Amino acid sequence: MKKAIGLILLAAILAVGGFYGMKYYNETYKEAPAYAVVPSQVPKKEQTRDANDKIVPNSITYDYNFDFVKEDGTHQTMHFALEGADVKPFTPGAYIKADISQKRVTKGPNEINKTDVPTNVQDKLAK
């Protein structure tokens, strides 16, 4: 009897852990292509700081907030820090493409031509 209860308890723990593990994965890593227009004003060039708010030598940062539009037409606002030793800010008014999840930018963003943006997304970006 104790073995059966232990097995049922173990199965329940694995099921709950699996559910929350899958939920975390979907929110953090499941990505979708998204498009945005670079704001017309270039962000202020700042020294890069680490998690402890200490200056990172030989690194600069441009902080952006993008209003991404996914191919299904949904909007998602995300913060993105462009940082490195020799980074250039994005061209104001340029179109960018990135792969994003619910929580983060997983790939990109990279500047693209307007013709590479799907027509339905162009309409949403123009508004």
Side-chain angles (χ1 to χ4, degrees), residues 76-105:
Q76 185 174 340
T77 301
M78 298 199 76
H79 174 264
F80 181 77
L82 182 63
E83 54 190 33
D86 190 31
V87 295
K88 307 260 186 282
F90 291 114
T91 306
Y95 287 85
I96 59 169
K97 178 182 180 183
D99 289 340
I100 63 172
S101 69
Q102 290 178 5
K103 293 184 177 182
R104 63 178 64 154
V105 176

Side-chain angles (χ1 to χ4, degrees), residues 20-30:
Y20 284 105
M22 187 59 107
K23 181 180 175 192
Y24 173 80
Y25 174 82
N26 285 335
E27 291 175 353
T28 308
Y29 299 107
K30 190 174 180 184

Side-chain angles (χ1 to χ4, degrees), residues 47-93:
Q47 285 288 103
T48 304
R49 295 184 174 274
D50 65 13
N52 297 320
D53 205 33
K54 293 181 182 175
I55 292 177
V56 176
N58 301 321
S59 184
I60 57 170
T61 300
Y62 294 97
D63 282 320
Y64 285 95
N65 286 309
F66 292 118
D67 180 26
F68 284 106
V69 177
K70 295 180 184 176
E71 291 180 346
D72 65 3
T74 58
H75 287 260
Q76 185 174 340
T77 301
M78 298 199 76
H79 174 264
F80 181 77
L82 182 63
E83 54 190 33
D86 190 31
V87 295
K88 307 260 186 282
F90 291 114
T91 306

Side-chain angles (χ1 to χ4, degrees), residues 102-113:
Q102 290 178 5
K103 293 184 177 182
R104 63 178 64 154
V105 176
T106 57
K107 252 188 264 176
N110 297 307
E111 289 188 26
I112 60 171
N113 294 321

